């Protein structure tokens, strides 16, 4: 017998409405036991007005109860959702009544996991559900909605079809080695491989952009004391968030704030100026600055161009050069004249942009924002396009892509078709993993445990 599960689906706090949901074969019988409707009989996809009562028939809440009969529900099972008043006690009480009557507490993401296991959505769509909920910008939302509607899944299925076609051409050669199947030329097989390559390539190019838009990016502002790091934070926020003074060592801790650039959410860390210091508080701050660089996806190095590069600047440059994050260099205080040679910086950071400006009058700020954005969005995805949105998706696509060179070569060399089949099969299994045709218990547990309860 399948379980019937129940959970509070709305956040615990005070709100106009709170929803308790229930899924499984006992949903309707349990609802019938605890709900006193003004009309009898549950039809599917109807909303009923009535009261939830406890076992002594005391009214616990005045509710609207909606019914969804299998298979036309979120989980594909019979489902009941109870719109209660949105208070913590009332929601907990209604849930406990459901549990007393035979439902069991749902695990995080279990409703969505059921939707996946029962075949209503695939794994990409299940991931999109969590991403829609946590979307931090409208652009993130649009990308996740595209994924939820199955656009990415359709492309993956088309890729799979192409591979199956290729496989069938190949299997014919294995089964009937004597026959001449020259009507399927090497060229036409290579054409299919090229098509597959191009689609995979486009998806993979969308990955870093999609991941950055959905997950957000951590940007840390670094530099020696007094160069204008906190001034930059304030300018990016258009707010006097951090204290700015001309005393070196003003910022002693990491200050974090959020901004959005073209729909990409950024967490910005303003750090203590890095230098050798005897002060206990400042030295702890410096340690934190160094750790921030390790955590950051992108670092903005701020330099005071009115002075020559000092040993302190050089030490930070060394630190940054070895860090895996992306970098943008901001030459600040250009209003005071320029003593740092731009070419010297270009040699130190050959692949990274250098922007000159003055934070006192915001000169160079727009250019800096543009360069920061370009460092995290290498491939512009528009709202109607699909994008890969997490590392798992990216890795499985890379696995498939990794097989292309060998596959191409084998077809070209017209070698043993059995070997060609192996390459094609392993590409198909990478796509199966991506879309969730094959899964492991561990992988599903890991994925759904990140969901909220009741989703
Ligand atoms: N002339 C000039 N002064 C600037 C400019 N940007 C910032 N300053 C001044 O430089 C001083 C230091 O600025 P902050 O933003 O506090 O520098 P910081 O890097 O955060 O310093 P610490 O927190 O001590 O590491 C302040 O007096 C700012 O007003 C600029 O473009 N030109
Ligand atoms: Mg500061």
């Amino acid at each position: 017998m399948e379980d019937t599960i129940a959970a509070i689906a709305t956040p615990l706090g005070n709100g106009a409405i709170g929803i308790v949901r229930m899924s499984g074969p006992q949903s309707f019988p349990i609802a019938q036991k605890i709900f006193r409707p003004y009309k009898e009989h549950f039809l599917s996809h109807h909303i009923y007005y009535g009261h939830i009562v406890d076992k002594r028939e005391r009214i616990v809440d005045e509710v609207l109860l909606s019914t969804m009969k299998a298979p036309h529900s979120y989980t594909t099972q019979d489902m009941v959702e109870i719109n209660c008043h949105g208070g913590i006690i009332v929601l907990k009480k209604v849930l406990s009544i459901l549990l007393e009557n035979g439902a069991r507490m749902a695990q995080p993401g279990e409703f969505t996991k059921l939707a996946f296991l029962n075949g209503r959505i695939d794994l990409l769509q299940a991931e999109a559900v969590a991403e829609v909920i946590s979307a931090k910008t409208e652009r993130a939302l649009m990308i996740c909605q595209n994924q939820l509607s199955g656009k990415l899944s359709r492309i993956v299925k088309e890729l799979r079809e192409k591979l199956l076609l290729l496989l069938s051409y190949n299997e014919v050669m294995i089964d009937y080695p004597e026959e001449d199947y020259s009507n399927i030329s090497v060229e036409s097989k290579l054409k299919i491989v090229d098509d597959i390559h191009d689609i995979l390539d486009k998806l993979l190019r969308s990955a870093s952009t999609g991941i950055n838009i959905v997950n957000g990016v951590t940007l840390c502002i670094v530099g020696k004391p007094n160069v204008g790091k906190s001034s930059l934070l304030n300018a990016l926020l258009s707010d006097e968030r951090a204290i700015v003074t001309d005393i070196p060592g003003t910022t002693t801790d990491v200050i974090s704030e959020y901004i959005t650039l073209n729909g990409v959410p950024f967490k910005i860390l303003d750090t203590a100026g890095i230098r050798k210091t005897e002060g206990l508080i400042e030295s702890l701050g410096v340690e934190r600055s160094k750790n921030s660089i390790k955590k950051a996806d992108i670092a903005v190095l701020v330099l005071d161009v009115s002075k020559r590069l000092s040993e302190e600047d050089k030490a930070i440059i060394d630190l940054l050069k070895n860090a895996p994050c992306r970098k943008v260099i901001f030459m600040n205080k250009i209003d005071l004249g320029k003593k740092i040679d731009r070419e010297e910086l270009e040699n130190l950071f050959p692949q990274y942009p250098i922007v000159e400006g003055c934070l006192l009058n915001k000169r160079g700020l727009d250019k800096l924002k543009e360069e920061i954005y370009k460092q995290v969005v290498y491939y512009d995805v528009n709202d109607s396009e699909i994008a890969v949105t997490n590392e798992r998706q990216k890795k499985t696509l890379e696995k498939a892509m990794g097989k292309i060179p060998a596959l191409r070569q084998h077809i070209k060399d017209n070698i043993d078709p059995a070997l060609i089949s192996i390459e094609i099969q392993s590409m198909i299994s990478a796509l199966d993993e991506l879309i969730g045709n094959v899964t492991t218990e561990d992988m599903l547990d890991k994925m759904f445990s990140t969901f909220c309860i009741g989703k």
Side-chain angles (χ1 to χ4, degrees):
M1 185 71 175
E2 277 176 285
D3 284 344
T4 295
I5 56 170
I8 299 170
T10 40
L12 281 185
N14 293 340
I17 295 172
I19 299 175
V20 180
R21 71 198 319 206
M22 180 163 55
S23 176
Q26 289 302 306
S27 295
F28 284 32
I30 292 174
Q32 235 124 21
K33 261 199 267 174
I34 63 151
F35 179 63
R36 297 292 165 265
Y38 280 80
K39 280 187 184 158
E40 297 301 325
H41 312 302
F42 286 157
L43 298 172
S44 185
H45 292 79
H46 277 62
I47 296 179
Y48 297 92
Y49 169 74
H51 293 96
I52 299 291
V53 294
D54 66 9
K55 50 178 179 283
R56 289 160 54 196
E57 285 295 318
R58 290 182 307 184
I59 290 176
V60 171
D61 199 13
E62 180 189 33
V63 303
L64 287 174
L65 181 143
S66 23
T67 50
M68 286 147 277
K69 269 228 172 267
H72 302 292
S73 76
Y74 187 74
T75 59
T76 78
Q77 299 176 319
D78 282 349
M79 278 190 79
V80 164
E81 281 184 5
I82 308 170
N83 289 25
C84 309
H85 287 100
I88 299 172
I89 302 296
V90 58
L91 287 168
K92 284 191 171 166
K93 183 66 193 168
V94 171
L95 175 63
S96 75
I97 291 175
L98 299 183
L99 301 182
E100 275 163 26
N101 281 277
R104 107 168 133 66
M105 187 63 203
Q107 286 157 0
E110 195 171 356
F111 292 91
T112 309
K113 190 176 177 182
L114 284 168
F116 165 68
L117 291 174
N118 295 337
R120 190 180 66 77
I121 56 173
D122 62 35
L123 211 53
L124 291 172
Q125 291 170 303
E127 284 174 317
V129 168
E131 287 164 358
V132 163
I133 292 172
S134 63
K136 294 180 194 74
T137 67
E138 207 173 307
R139 197 164 168 203
L141 176 64
M142 295 304 156
I143 289 176
C144 298
Q145 288 293 5
N146 282 338
Q147 194 168 316
L148 183 57
S149 70
K151 281 191 190 168
L152 180 56
S153 308
R154 269 198 292 284
I155 294 183
V156 176
K157 282 178 194 149
E158 276 164 29
L159 276 174
R160 211 174 166 279
E161 290 301 313
K162 285 188 200 296
L163 285 165
L164 286 173
L165 181 69
L166 207 56
L167 191 64
S168 69
Y169 290 166
N170 205 54
E171 300 286 299
V172 169
M173 288 167 66
I174 298 174
D175 295 343
Y176 307 100
E178 313 306 320
E179 308 281 330
D180 180 14
Y181 281 97
S182 51
N183 56 331
I184 304 153
S185 64
V186 168
E187 281 67 39
S188 56
K189 287 184 209 161
L190 286 177
K191 169 82 177 60
I192 300 177
V193 176
D194 287 344
D195 280 355
I196 295 170
H197 168 275
D198 291 351
I199 297 169
L200 283 173
D201 184 55
K202 193 163 182 230
L203 288 177
L204 280 169
R205 273 191 290 144
S206 78
S208 51
T209 300
I211 293 170
N212 285 339
I213 292 178
V214 170
N215 284 356
V217 176
T218 302
L219 176 150
C220 101
I221 305 175
V222 289
K224 70 177 179 188
N226 215 39
V227 289
K229 297 180 298 299
S230 301
S231 305
L232 175 57
L233 172 79
N234 291 348
L236 288 170
L237 294 172
S238 304
D239 186 20
E240 296 307 308
R241 168 69 179 85
I243 298 172
V244 167
T245 74
D246 57 3
I247 306 164
T250 302
T251 310
T252 51
D253 208 340
V254 178
I255 301 177
S256 98
E257 282 295 338
Y258 294 88
I259 62 161
T260 300
L261 293 180
N262 288 338
V264 183
F266 282 82
K267 180 180 185 183
I268 302 189
L269 307 174
D270 173 26
T271 62
I274 297 176
R275 65 170 169 183
K276 284 214 170 67
T277 168
E278 298 295 314
L280 176 64
I281 297 171
E282 193 180 348
S283 64
L284 290 173
V286 168
E287 236 5 81
R288 289 189 178 194
S289 305
K290 290 180 181 168
N291 282 330
S292 304
I293 297 177
K294 289 184 200 145
K295 278 188 278 181
D297 301 298
I298 175 167
V300 176
L301 170 66
V302 183
L303 298 167
D304 174 352
V305 288
S306 69
K307 302 191 181 94
R308 286 180 197 291
L309 277 187
S310 65
E311 287 309 311
E312 281 171 346
D313 289 316
K314 285 183 183 152
I316 299 164
I317 286 170
D318 279 343
L319 205 66
L320 267 191
K321 279 192 80 95
N322 295 320
C325 61
R326 306 207 143 235
K327 292 123 204 168
V328 176
I329 320 301
F330 187 61
M331 297 173 73
N332 190 29
K333 307 200 187 182
I334 203 90
D335 56 311
L336 300 177
K338 195 159 97 182
K339 292 234 175 69
I340 296 179
D341 182 15
R342 195 180 162 121
E343 245 172 54
E344 192 183 345
L345 288 176
E346 279 164 357
N347 289 335
L348 284 167
F349 295 101
Q351 313 103 333
Y352 292 106
I354 299 169
V355 180
E356 297 179 10
C358 163
L359 288 169
L360 281 191
N361 60 22
K362 308 244 161 88
R363 214 174 108 196
L365 188 63
D366 285 341
K367 178 77 183 149
L368 179 65
K369 284 187 193 168
E370 193 186 312
E371 294 295 351
I372 290 171
Y373 176 77
K374 279 203 258 172
Q375 288 301 308
V376 295
V377 176
Y378 332 107
Y379 174 76
D380 240 326
V381 180
N382 67 41
D383 288 353
S384 61
E385 265 187 294
I386 22 163
V388 168
T389 52
N390 63 43
E391 289 295 336
R392 186 194 75 84
Q393 296 169 2
K394 186 176 161 195
K395 280 205 188 104
T396 48
L397 285 167
E398 277 169 349
K399 221 190 262 179
M401 187 65 143
K403 301 288 172 193
I404 294 237
L407 177 60
R408 217 173 182 287
Q409 199 59 47
H410 291 345
I411 292 174
K412 224 170 165 182
D413 299 346
N414 220 349
I415 59 150
D416 183 0
L419 276 180
I420 298 179
S421 280
I422 291 173
E423 300 294 345
I424 301 174
Q425 299 276 17
S426 58
M427 286 179 78
I428 292 175
S429 52
L431 296 183
D432 281 342
E433 201 182 309
L434 175 61
I435 206 159
N437 288 351
V438 278
T439 52
T440 63
E441 199 56 38
D442 269 2
M443 172 193 160
L444 291 183
D445 284 351
K446 199 171 142 212
M447 180 179 299
F448 289 103
S449 64
T450 62
F451 277 60
C452 39
I453 258 186
K455 188 64 228 179

